[in-house]
Amino acid sequence: MSMPMSLTLPSGSLSSTPSSSPSSSPSWSPSWSGRDRRSTRLAAVGGTAALTLLLMAGPAAAHVTANPDTAEQGSYSKVSFRVPNEQASAQTTGVEVDLPLDHPIAAVSVRPVPGWTVKVAKTKLAAPIKSDDGEITQAVSRITWTGGSIAPGQFQEFDVSMGPLPTDTDRLMFKAAQTYSGGEVVHWDQDPGNGGQEPDHPAPVLRLTPKSSGGGHMMTAQVPIAKAATPANADDGTARLLGALGLAVGAIGIAVGGLGLARARNRS
């Protein structure tokens, strides 16, 4: 015969639901560690440095320039006016360069550019100048190229032979105008000065150095021409280098910033 059994448990020994109180649950507040904040600051600094380098590289290749930018006083030199197209949706269809009449140049000739038509204008001088061929009463004051085109992202060089270069000044400024297919005309006519901050639309400048001793007439004529091709590569190479450095620094800054944000999320 079976006997009934009973089991008595102390009250409070078992509970179907665990007790909880507001003070027992862990609290959490979104906060970044010092390392995360340093990573974010580094990303911001990297991005700023990249933008600065890109802005520096842009102007170096954007405006009309004279190449080479130096020549010897009294010499004959070939000057290439380099014209880049800085518009994204328009072509350059016209280029105009003014030669200074306060320091007139007796002999000026233009190299033909395929696809372009050139027009040379002369102006009567207030005071005649002397040359090997006699007295000069008028000088070239403006050269205009039309009929061709420079596509976005490209540039064209327009070569002008000139001389003898003045001996009574240390620079020549050539005001220029660039016409686009949409009708916009950009004037490169601001004096860049002698260093310091460059204006928005600087005019091409040819700086003149004192004539070297011991060289004849033909020697001074040949030296600048031999150097004409070198600055072109140097300027373009500098612009590409600055642009590449800016992109590299920006990429590093973005990567470091992303790593810092990822660590912050994982810790949360």
Side-chain angles (χ1 to χ4, degrees), residues 68-202:
D69 58 0
T70 59
E72 197 174 85
Q73 293 176 342
S75 69
Y76 287 77
S77 180
K78 183 193 75 173
V79 179
S80 297
F81 293 97
R82 186 179 305 149
V83 182
N85 190 333
E86 60 178 9
Q87 296 283 351
S89 58
Q91 295 184 341
T92 296
T93 56
V95 176
E96 187 178 277
V97 175
D98 289 343
L99 277 68
L101 288 178
D102 54 345
H103 298 287
I105 301 173
V108 176
S109 59
V110 181
R111 172 179 287 180
V113 181
W116 292 82
T117 300
V118 62
K119 179 181 178 181
V120 178
K122 293 185 177 182
T123 299
K124 186 176 180 179
L125 300 176
I129 58 176
K130 294 182 179 180
S131 70
D132 295 340
D133 298 326
E135 199 172 69
I136 303 297
T137 59
Q138 59 180 0
V140 174
S141 57
R142 175 171 294 176
I143 306 175
T144 305
W145 290 269
T146 57
S149 64
I150 306 173
Q154 299 181 4
F155 71 91
Q156 178 65 55
E157 289 187 338
F158 301 89
D159 295 341
V160 180
S161 175
M162 57 183 71
L165 298 176
T167 58
D168 57 349
T169 183
D170 61 356
R171 69 172 190 161
L172 293 175
M173 185 170 68
F174 304 91
K175 295 182 178 181
Q178 183 176 7
T179 302
Y180 286 93
S181 55
E184 180 185 1
V185 179
V186 179
H187 294 276
W188 304 97
D189 55 2
Q190 295 177 323
D191 190 342
N194 293 313
Q197 185 174 2
E198 190 176 68
D200 293 334
H201 296 89

Side-chain angles (χ1 to χ4, degrees), residues 247-259:
L247 293 175
V249 172
I252 294 173
I254 293 172
V256 172
L259 180 60

